[in-house]
């Protein structure tokens, strides 16, 4: 499942606020329950990166990161796309790393 929020549908909200809301929608949690965004990315920097510039908005590039068990992609057009990570894949990756002798701590 995936949640996408367009920038224009949430005018007046910062990019970081839209990320938190999209993750909450995707996970079925309240926005206050998804955890602090600043543990994975600087919310102020994210907001500045995707804020409008003189004369136009930003329309190129993207930032991708993981937050609260979700993969998040924020594009230059202001779109926030959130996909919940597959827990089975994470468990399989952990098991494979242990067999290879890699410490994930």
């Amino acid at each position: 499942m995936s949640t996408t929020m367009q920038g224009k549908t949430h005018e007046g909200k910062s990019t970081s606020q839209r990320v938190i809301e999209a993750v909450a929608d995707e996970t079925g949690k309240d926005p206050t329950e998804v955890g602090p965004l600043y543990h994975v990315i600087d919310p102020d920097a994210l907001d500045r990166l995707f804020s409008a510039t003189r004369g136009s908005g930003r329309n190129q590039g993207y930032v991708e990161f993981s937050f609260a068990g979700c993969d998040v992609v924020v594009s230059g057009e202001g779109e926030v796309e959130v996909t919940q990570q597959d827990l089975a894949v994470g468990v399989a990756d952990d098991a494979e790393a242990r067999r290879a002798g890699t410490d994930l701590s």
Side-chain angles (χ1 to χ4, degrees):
M1 191 171 182
S2 180
T3 299
T4 301
M5 292 187 156
Q6 300 291 337
K8 294 183 184 194
T9 60
H10 295 282
E11 286 185 23
K13 293 188 180 181
S14 68
T15 301
S16 58
Q17 288 172 317
R18 291 193 344 266
V19 166
I20 292 168
E21 289 177 2
V23 168
D25 285 348
E26 179 68 16
T27 60
K29 295 180 179 178
D30 187 82
T32 60
E33 297 175 325
V34 296
L37 184 59
Y38 63 81
H39 281 211
V40 296
I41 194 165
D42 182 336
D44 293 330
L46 184 66
D47 294 341
R48 283 191 308 272
L49 183 63
F50 291 102
S51 65
T53 59
R54 290 184 194 167
S56 70
R58 304 212 186 242
N59 58 10
Q60 295 181 353
Y62 67 94
V63 172
E64 187 173 338
F65 56 93
S66 294
F67 173 55
C70 296
D71 294 322
V72 178
V73 179
V74 182
S75 70
E77 298 87 23
E79 184 176 283
V80 176
E81 183 178 336
V82 176
T83 306
Q84 202 162 8
Q85 296 169 342
D86 184 2
L87 294 178
V89 171
V91 171
D93 290 345
D94 289 350
E96 182 64 30
R98 284 191 190 89
R99 281 194 293 277
T102 304
D103 183 14
L104 296 176
S105 308

